[in-house]
Amino acid sequence: MLELSPSDAELTKEFIRLINGRSSMGAMSLKPAEMTGFLDKLKTMVAILPSLGVFGKYGNQTIQEFAKRYKDPFLRDAVRFFIDSPGWPMLRFPMVAMAGFIKSAVLEAGVPLGGSQKVLFRMADYFKELGGEILYRNRVRDVIIEKDRAVGVGTEDGTEHLADIVVWADDGPANFGKFIAENLQNNNATVYFTEDNDELIAYILATIQYYPPVFEIKKYGLVNDLAVAMAYRRLGIGQHLFLMVKDWFAKKEISRIEIEVSLVNETSISFWRKMNFRPYKEIQYLEL
């Protein structure tokens, strides 16, 4: 890092000192708040004391904000991707959590003795001891919704299981594959892929959407998703996929194309700006 960008040397040294320094993981507790007593809180305070300087300096800073200080664009992305990578986004990740990262997440990290499977078996046994039932080889097909509330699940064998509380552990790859397959059969959607030696390296998904009836323009094109594997970026692949989608929209007589971009995703913002997109509205949110 020092050789790549001498002008960022001081910032790089600061980053290296932080991730190789004292870890704040000792202050973490697995106990829920309602089970935390006075001694637990006291232990947490003792563990935090040596790291007060780190909290004071980085307490209000995210890794995204820290990475922006780099002059070199490669190091700017590299530091941010330490945590907030395109395939595993961690928006507004607190910089203070990077303290001692090398020690807590690399040198001292590991796997349970005997492998993770034994942990799962123990959890399953304990669940059954408490009176629970586990159904194997019967995948969840969908979630049963009543009055905007999940009340149960439907399984592949056609049965329904109702419950007061539903915890949904989504099968991301399977559902995403189903989602793509459905869009491939949809006349108002298109999907383009790029492969290298039979390996998927990029894809784009686009759909035709409709405005509320008060709008003069009735329908528009939406680029739902565009992803290019890290090793294949800056080769024009994303632009090529977009031009294919743009041509598809034109054949569908679509005169307007929209996208949604996260304000902290500088790479995506820069790409779409090069594709001649310009902002026209801002979506705001409030967390309750």
Side-chain angles (χ1 to χ4, degrees), residues 59-79:
N60 296 319
Q61 189 174 173
T62 66
I63 192 170
Q64 290 85 359
E65 292 168 340
F66 183 86
K68 280 183 179 179
R69 294 164 58 190
Y70 274 88
K71 300 174 184 176
D72 183 85
F74 176 80
L75 290 185
R76 193 182 306 137
D77 284 343
V79 170

Side-chain angles (χ1 to χ4, degrees), residues 14-245:
E14 179 184 344
F15 181 67
I16 292 173
R17 283 195 301 270
L18 180 68
I19 63 176
N20 283 284
R22 182 185 292 274
S23 172
S24 58
M25 292 299 290
M28 305 299 176
S29 174
L30 296 178
K31 284 187 177 182
E34 58 270 19
M35 295 180 64
T36 302
F38 174 75
L39 289 179
D40 297 307
K41 294 179 180 179
L42 185 60
K43 289 178 181 178
T44 299
M45 289 301 299
V46 171
I48 288 177
L49 281 176
S51 302
L52 284 180
V54 174
F55 278 91
K57 185 173 184 178
Y58 301 104
N60 296 319
Q61 189 174 173
T62 66
I63 192 170
Q64 290 85 359
E65 292 168 340
F66 183 86
K68 280 183 179 179
R69 294 164 58 190
Y70 274 88
K71 300 174 184 176
D72 183 85
F74 176 80
L75 290 185
R76 193 182 306 137
D77 284 343
V79 170
R80 182 178 138 228
F81 292 168
F82 219 82
I83 291 293
D84 180 25
S85 62
W88 194 277
M90 299 286 283
L91 303 182
R92 298 201 57 77
F93 188 85
M95 192 63 185
V96 71
M98 296 299 297
F101 182 85
I102 295 298
K103 181 181 179 182
S104 61
V106 180
L107 298 179
E108 293 182 352
V111 297
L113 291 174
S116 299
Q117 191 177 56
K118 288 191 175 183
V119 176
L120 296 177
F121 286 162
R122 180 67 191 96
M123 291 173 62
D125 290 340
Y126 185 59
F127 180 73
K128 288 185 284 188
E129 288 173 9
L130 295 174
E133 180 185 4
I134 300 176
L135 303 179
Y136 295 99
R137 301 184 185 279
N138 193 13
R139 297 171 67 90
V140 172
R141 184 186 69 253
D142 53 30
V143 179
I144 302 170
I145 305 294
E146 291 182 2
K147 296 180 180 179
D148 295 327
R149 181 174 175 270
V151 297
V153 296
T155 51
E156 287 183 335
D157 63 0
T159 59
E160 293 185 348
H161 305 271
L162 302 181
D164 295 328
I165 299 175
V166 177
V167 180
W168 174 248
D170 197 8
D171 186 345
N175 284 334
F176 184 74
K178 180 181 177 182
F179 173 69
I180 292 296
E182 290 174 350
N183 278 286
L184 286 171
Q185 300 174 15
N186 184 354
N187 290 330
N188 283 337
T190 188
V191 182
Y192 293 105
F193 298 91
T194 301
E195 294 182 326
D196 183 23
N197 294 324
D198 296 326
E199 179 182 355
L200 179 66
I201 60 170
Y203 82 96
I204 188 169
L205 167 65
T207 56
I208 295 175
Q209 304 289 328
Y210 293 86
Y211 287 117
V214 295
F215 282 72
E216 182 178 350
I217 301 176
K218 302 303 180 185
K219 58 184 181 179
Y220 65 97
L222 176 65
V223 179
N224 302 73
D225 205 5
L226 170 61
V228 181
M230 185 72 68
Y232 293 87
R233 294 183 179 179
R234 303 183 187 278
L235 299 176
I237 295 174
Q239 180 178 2
H240 177 69
L241 289 173
F242 172 66
L243 291 177
M244 294 175 68
V245 159

